[in-house]
Each structure stands twice: as structure tokens, then as C-alpha cells.
Amino acid sequence: DIVMTQSPDSLAVSLGERATINCKSSQSVLSSSNNKNYLAWYQQRPGQPPNLLIYWASTRESGVPDRFSGSGSGTDFTLTISSLQAEDVAVYYCQQYYSTPFTFGPGTKVDIK
Amino acid sequence: QVQLQESGPGLVKPSETLSLTCTVSGGSISSFYWSWIRQSPGKGLEWIGYIHYSGSTNYYPSLKSRVTISLDTSKNQFSLKLNSVTAADTAVYYCARAGQNWNYGYHMDVWGKGITVTVSS
């Protein structure tokens, strides 16, 4: 299984400031056949199902605000919220879909400072 | 717009079978992979498995001996059965759409609201 780790476990950021979450996979999720990273990011607000934010490591899902961006390749990835808004308080998960079983990171909780 | 809705009993006795159904509305079940994911209280997300509209399945290895995911294209539904449940299977269970193929990817872009299942006598 590909093990996903995230850091930090939680962070508190002032409104309007940048939040950065890191995700690491135990093996590369970059496909040599199509040069795509099989990595997604999800946001889960309290009491809600997860919501897809980013796929292919850096492609924003339709309707997702452009303050969310994803970067990285191979085994190291980052989700950045450029200017934190109150509605961004949530837990964020990375997930690899390179190979089964698909696996999620443990999550990073983002709060307002 | 595709929507998913989980249904089934919210309480299951230990050693019995958990049975859930996901109804797909606003779109066809064809051409996609469909997943089940669960989240234990206060915990992270665990992928249980998927089924392709062709009927092929793939399950999380540690659950494989107890899980069956099936499809009913006539009703636009797919289902989860998990047998011999214990308290450790208590969780919120989500169904989700999980992509079309290797080139389109298997990221989960549509999720149901989730259903809480408690295993208790």
C-alpha cells in the first residue's frame, strides 16, 4: 500500500494569511506513461462529506476558488490557501489514486488564529 | 448535476451484515467507477473499494474477505455489503463517484452526504 503522510497535523492562520499543507507519499505517484501525478486534495468541513478541491496534484476542480492551489510531483506535494477565509476552516486530506488500495493522508486541521 | 444518496439501516448488530445502497441521480451509472469510503468517529478517511459499471471490483485488502460491492444499472444504484461486523466497523459511510479510467483518473468528484452506521447490540 502507498502510505500518505501530512504535515502539520493542524495549523492556525490569521484571516487573509497564507496556509500551507504538505503531503508525502511512500512511493511516487507520478505516472511515466502520461506524466501525471495521481494525487488529489479534499476539504472536509465539520459535518460535511469531503469535497474535491484539486486533482492531478495541481488542477483545480470546477467552482473551487483560485486561492486554493496545489503543487509538487513524485512523492512531495503541497496545498496552499493563499488568503485564508473563514469558510476555509476544515480538515484537508490528500489522497493517492495511483494504485489500489487508494489511500488518504491523516488530515490537517485548519483553524483561524 | 449528479447527486448520490446513501440509504440503509443506521444500526447493525455485531456479527451481522451491514447493507447500504447508493442511489445515483442526475446522471447515468455507466462509464464510471463508484466507490465506498468510511470514516470512523473522529478519524480519517478509509477507502473500502470500488465497482466499475462493467461489474469489475477492487477492495481494500484488509476488508476483502468481508466486503461485496455490487451494481444495479436498472435502478442506477450500487451497494455495499460488509459481513461479520464488529464495533470497529462503526463509521460514517460515504459513496462517491471515482472517475472513468487511468487517463481520466480516479479522483472522487461527487460524494453522498454520508450515512452513520453504528454496530451495537
Side-chain angles (χ1 to χ4, degrees), chain A residues 94-111:
Chain A
C94 60
Q95 180 235 338
Q96 66 81 20
Y97 49 98
Y98 181 82
S99 66
T100 56
F102 298 151
T103 46
F104 293 86
T108 295
K109 186 175 182 181
V110 174
D111 270 318

Side-chain angles (χ1 to χ4, degrees), chain A residues 5-27:
Chain A
T5 55
Q6 289 182 232
S7 63
D9 294 336
S10 64
L11 74 161
V13 175
S14 300
L15 288 172
E17 295 300 305
R18 178 184 300 260
T20 301
I21 300 168
N22 300 302
C23 171
K24 192 174 184 69
S25 57
S26 61
Q27 61 192 76

Side-chain angles (χ1 to χ4, degrees), chain B residues 6 8 13 19 21 23 25 27-28 30 41 47-48 61 63 66-67 69 76 83 86 94 116 119:
Chain B
E6 304 89 351
K13 289 184 169 53
S19 295
T21 295
T23 301
S25 59
S28 173
S30 299
W47 179 77
I48 297 170
L63 298 173
R66 299 195 291 132
V67 171
I69 299 176
N76 238 28
N83 57 37
T86 69
Y94 297 101
T116 300
V119 178

Side-chain angles (χ1 to χ4, degrees), chain B residues 79-94:
Chain B
S79 299
L80 168 71
K81 288 191 188 301
L82 179 66
N83 57 37
S84 304
V85 297
T86 69
D89 296 310
T90 294
V92 177
Y93 286 77
Y94 297 101

Side-chain angles (χ1 to χ4, degrees), chain B residues 55-98:
Chain B
S56 67
T57 55
N58 195 307
Y59 303 132
Y60 199 94
S62 66
L63 298 173
K64 190 173 182 178
S65 63
R66 299 195 291 132
V67 171
T68 302
I69 299 176
S70 59
L71 199 63
D72 187 337
T73 54
S74 67
K75 294 182 179 178
N76 238 28
Q77 293 176 335
F78 62 105
S79 299
L80 168 71
K81 288 191 188 301
L82 179 66
N83 57 37
S84 304
V85 297
T86 69
D89 296 310
T90 294
V92 177
Y93 286 77
Y94 297 101
C95 59
R97 189 173 73 174

